[in-house]
Amino acid sequence: RYLRMEGKFYIKKHDEEISKHENIIFIFDDFDLRYHDTRKFGEIHIQDNDFVDVGVEATNITYEALK
C-alpha cells in the first residue's frame, strides 16, 4: 500500500458542510463519521457480520463519547 498516503476519519455534526474530498459518510444518530481522502489512495473494506463481532459497545457510540 501507499505509506502515509491514505485518508483520515473525522467526526462531524450532520449539518456541517460536506467537503468534496469526503468520499464516504457513515451516518449515526447524533453525528457523522466522514472519510476524507484527497488523493483517493485509501481503502475501506466492508466485512460480513458473520466474521466480525463488533460488540454492544461499538453499536452504541455517541458523538460525546468520541469528542
Side-chain angles (χ1 to χ4, degrees), residues 2 5 7 20-21 23 35 37-43:
Y2 302 98
M5 296 183 86
K20 69 178 184 177
H21 298 295
N23 307 107
Y35 181 68
D37 188 2
T38 53
R39 297 182 188 103
K40 297 186 180 175
F41 287 125
E43 297 178 358

Side-chain angles (χ1 to χ4, degrees), residues 32-55:
D32 294 343
L33 180 62
R34 301 182 188 186
Y35 181 68
H36 184 275
D37 188 2
T38 53
R39 297 182 188 103
K40 297 186 180 175
F41 287 125
E43 297 178 358
I44 292 181
H45 299 265
I46 306 295
Q47 293 183 296
D48 190 318
N49 283 339
D50 290 341
F51 300 104
V52 178
D53 181 13
V54 295

